[in-house]
Amino acid sequence: MSTTFIEGSIAVAKTVGVCRPHVISAYPITPQTHIIEHLSELVANGEIKSEYVNVESEHSAASVVLGASATGARTYTATTSQGFLLMIEVLFNIAGMRLPVVMTCVNRAVSAPINIWNDQQDSMTARDSGWIQLYAEDNQEASDMHLQAFKIAENKDILLPVMVCMDGFVLTHSFDPIELISQAQADKFLPPFKPQYYLTPKNPLSMGTMVGPEAYMETRYFIEKTMRASLQVISDVATDFHNQFGRFQGGLIDTYKVEDATLVLVAMGSIIGTIKDIVDELRAKEQKVGVLKVRSYRPFPKDEIYKALNHVKEIAVVEKAVSLGYGGILVNEIKSVFYGKPKTPKINGFILGLGGRDITVDTIHQVIKETAKAASEEKFVGLNEALIGGK
Amino acid sequence: MTTTLTAPKEQSCTLLAPGHTACTGCGEALAAKLVLGAAGTNIIVTDATGCLEVFTTKFPQSSWEVPFIHSLFENSAAVASGVEVALKALGRQNEAKVIAQGGDGGTADIGLQALSGMLERGHDILYVCYDNEAYMNTGVQRSGLTPFDCMTTTSPCGEFSWGNKHNKKDMPSIAAAHGIPYVATASVAFPKDIENKVKKALSITGPKYMQIHSPCPLGWRSKPQLTIQVARLAVQTGLYPIFEIENGKVTKVRKVTTPKTPVEEYLKIQGRFAHLFKSPKGKEEIQKIQEIADRNIEKYGLA
Amino acid sequence: MRLDLGAIAKAGTSKANQTGSWRNYKPIFHQVKCIGCGLCKIYCPEGCVTMIEKKKYTVDYTYCKGCGICAEECSSSDIEMIVEEK
């Protein structure tokens, strides 16, 4: 298959385009802009037949796709950071109404202080919203994930929205050789959206009703149950994709040299690439190091992670987000995987790369060095000592 | 006394089915019933969070005989925009007209931005604001459409307060400033007028804005049986001017009575203005309200 | 109704809710002086007043909350509000 040297955002836009969305609505925010600019270009040139709605805020972008999805349309939106936070109210609503909207969350730090660079605080903040969250390692995966996202969301047993998370600038603005998905390939992979219920005078239903204490809990129970069911669907869709395209970037997780590893680094997103390089370097020095990529953060694949890591001695979770007042977010969930199990590895948590702070080979080496020490709670790596008043 | 005949079995002929839980004498329930009656069945409606949504859609029941969606407080206009473009994208634009609904808070305050976006983008949607002049669903708090000197739970009267300090926001002018083809005000006191305006609005392509004065007996502290009378007096005094703005020009108004009805007639039957009648100083305040009415009469040529 | 798909309700199902039980006052439609203007029907917030035949309107007590708007607005004073006996 041939590749095109293309910017990550453009690759994503092109994939979304071949998914034939009926309605696209978005509000510009750095670094999401290239995606929506290219989509509006595709619409303007008649390359895709979608209604593109320029809205006055992210809140309305999400509300437009909510209304469109409820009317039976396939819909897409994209945002990042502050825009994402403004959307959150609607994001919970979309999930609660079981609408299979697909969105890209370009991962960026949140204000204050205002910072346009990458970390993953924005999407992690909506962890509990009822959206399926998938994190892309590179631009090929980010591009491919969108086609998979529609198939997962619209599965009649799922009907939950899917968020594809990709690191701002690091992925969105970098050029890579990408195998783009053709219209024919997309049509073969993704069947047309056939909603079970939608707004029409032919069957006048009421959506978004008020539910009291007698039934509200059950609506949350159904979402939780569906989240569990989606573990299999995400996995199956990745396999379907592999079968048709010959590319496999992992289902719920992906592992690299984990089988015989004593130390495994766990992470999400573009940092995986950097870690893989270091794994190769250390393997050459005969250090048994591996990396586990959490591809599906919600639903969280506890069993798969346990199966992959139950033999290792040490785990280092590296993450670009923080639950202020507690520490790392992912590290806690990795710890929970081993709760009550016969053997618990030493688990360290590291917070790095916030607000676009460089993650270099040295940063990862430092993580590995720290891991050798006693088990730490969440540690910031890569701080500028001069700015925090020495040690 | 003759025998009252009993109602036929299938008695409901309204598109807002009975069994809803609006308070007795609710002006908003009446307004919504009249809007739906005029619009007919080939519509899709959205609604903002508020009384109307709460009293019509208590799961598993719904009063709506037409397709209905409620999402959030501030996004009725944006959700309606999504419905409208989806119908277009799916080739179903002839299937239904889209009506967005909201209360005064959901329209003029928290939902103003989404409404402005909807109006500016030119969607073929009729937006209906049911104006009961306060946040009734949460217990009668002041909104941007609460009238001057009106007492609400967050604009109480007191030693240093005559109630709401601010004038009612001029929403119809804000809507008209978007250059939309049709803006109208109406009142539940004049149902035929509501019917005509809804039908006219739906015959026009593009964004339309309609604001219907809908008394709330609970919040206005008026007797439930007086809902129509209160609404009628608001119009007759000039405090709630009834007009149509077509492509930026006022084309039609409802005249006030001659001789003009003093605002006291309207104010005195509502507990929310009762404080104005309790002291001599209140007279000055009533005079200020009279001036508001007079300005409306002047501005729209209601005399 | 589908609770599992976001609390979807069927059209017009509120009719199961008999709001007539709220009533403190009850409208009596005398059907004597009625001129058939239909204001009682038009103004009813519940939509529970119906025309049986020309100049004969009635109310469905299953839903009537007894607000009294019909009696207040009746153009021929043909509707009377009486205290509801429970």
Side-chain angles (χ1 to χ4, degrees), chain B residues 230-253:
Chain B
V230 171
R232 193 183 290 125
L233 280 164
V235 174
Q236 288 175 345
T237 53
L239 277 174
Y240 210 92
I242 302 293
F243 54 83
E244 283 175 288
I245 302 175
E246 291 175 74
N247 298 307
K249 292 213 166 67
V250 177
T251 51
K252 220 172 174 185
V253 299

Side-chain angles (χ1 to χ4, degrees), chain B residues 131-133 136 146-151 213-224 226-235 237 239-240 262-278 286 289:
Chain B
D131 181 11
N132 57 21
E133 306 193 317
M136 298 315 184
T146 300
F148 178 71
D149 271 358
C150 174
M151 193 165 71
H213 202 215
S214 312
C216 167
L218 193 78
W220 295 13
R221 304 193 205 174
S222 55
K223 290 178 179 154
L226 296 186
T227 289
I228 305 303
Q229 200 183 319
V230 171
R232 193 183 290 125
L233 280 164
V235 174
T237 53
L239 277 174
Y240 210 92
V263 294
E264 281 95 333
E265 299 299 309
Y266 171 66
L267 305 175
K268 73 182 182 193
I269 54 173
Q270 303 173 64
R272 63 176 177 159
F273 295 111
H275 57 294
L276 304 178
F277 294 90
K278 283 181 182 149
I286 292 172
I289 296 172

Side-chain angles (χ1 to χ4, degrees), chain B residues 23 28 50-51 73 104-105 109 131-147 149-157 163-164 214-222 270-273 275:
Chain B
C23 305
E28 191 178 32
C51 282
F73 200 175
D104 46 294
D109 291 347
D131 181 11
N132 57 21
E133 306 193 317
Y135 291 94
M136 298 315 184
N137 192 42
T138 41
V140 201
Q141 292 85 16
R142 182 214 169 264
S143 84
L145 295 194
T146 300
D149 271 358
C150 174
M151 193 165 71
T152 70
T153 54
T154 51
S155 63
C157 63
N164 181 34
S214 312
C216 167
L218 193 78
W220 295 13
R221 304 193 205 174
S222 55
Q270 303 173 64
R272 63 176 177 159
F273 295 111
H275 57 294

